[in-house]
Amino acid sequence: MATAILDGISTRYEVRGEGAPLLMFSPGGFDAVIEKWSSLGIYAKTKPLDYLTQNYQVILFDRRECGQSGGRVERVTWAHFVRQGVASLDHLKIDKALAQDIAGTARDRIVVRGVIDSADHAIVPWLAAASAARSWCQASSRA
């Protein structure tokens, strides 16, 4: 387990696979941890990391106040989640990445849009790579 101080908060993170960096915001609401990508709902069935790590350098982390990441007492806004994601790219010295928006929740879209708008990085929404998403979904449905 790797940890880094991201936006002043101890954050558990993992980097898996090789290829273009893909920043993934863990699903799970108030329990948004890396493991949810393989244990929560549709992710448990389709196992997206099995496919994505074959083609991308996947950057995963426990969201602040979740799992093995720390937190601090303050009013938390979407901007805090954005800063944590951007800080993970800074820590890994990544200046160009894709940002995941496959979970389809309003939270994910807001955070990914915030990363795209506020970063000094070249961030592209991952759904721009729609053919990869379709391939993953088709392969998953056949499993």
Side-chain angles (χ1 to χ4, degrees), residues 12 14-18 34-35 37-38 49-50 52-53 56-60:
R12 173 187 169 222
E14 292 181 18
V15 179
R16 302 181 193 173
E18 295 183 22
I34 294 168
E35 290 76 18
W37 285 113
S38 58
L49 295 181
D50 290 353
L52 294 172
T53 56
Y56 299 96
Q57 177 188 32
V58 178
I59 302 149
L60 309 158

Side-chain angles (χ1 to χ4, degrees), residues 9-10 13 36 59 61 75:
I9 295 173
S10 177
Y13 74 94
K36 295 296 183 182
I59 302 149
F61 58 94
R75 181 177 178 201

Side-chain angles (χ1 to χ4, degrees), residues 75-140:
R75 181 177 178 201
V76 179
T77 67
W78 298 121
H80 291 86
F81 303 131
V82 169
R83 286 197 302 267
Q84 187 182 26
V86 171
S88 71
L89 298 176
D90 290 340
H91 172 74
L92 296 167
K93 298 179 178 19
I94 295 172
D95 60 358
K96 183 177 182 180
L98 302 166
Q100 153 270 337
D101 187 16
I102 61 174
T105 66
R107 175 193 61 93
D108 293 317
R109 285 191 295 277
I110 290 168
V111 172
V112 169
R113 185 78 246 169
V115 170
I116 292 166
D117 291 344
S118 71
D120 291 330
H121 306 74
I123 307 293
V124 177
W126 186 69
L127 282 183
S131 62
R134 278 193 299 277
S135 297
W136 166 63
C137 291
Q138 289 168 352
S140 297

Side-chain angles (χ1 to χ4, degrees), residues 22-64:
L22 174 60
L23 180 61
M24 304 282 286
F25 290 86
S26 295
F30 292 110
D31 189 27
V33 296
I34 294 168
E35 290 76 18
K36 295 296 183 182
W37 285 113
S38 58
S39 66
L40 179 68
I42 191 68
Y43 308 114
K45 180 180 177 187
T46 59
K47 304 200 182 313
L49 295 181
D50 290 353
Y51 171 77
L52 294 172
T53 56
Q54 294 176 27
N55 298 285
Y56 299 96
Q57 177 188 32
V58 178
I59 302 149
L60 309 158
F61 58 94
D62 289 354
R63 196 186 70 207
R64 55 176 287 154

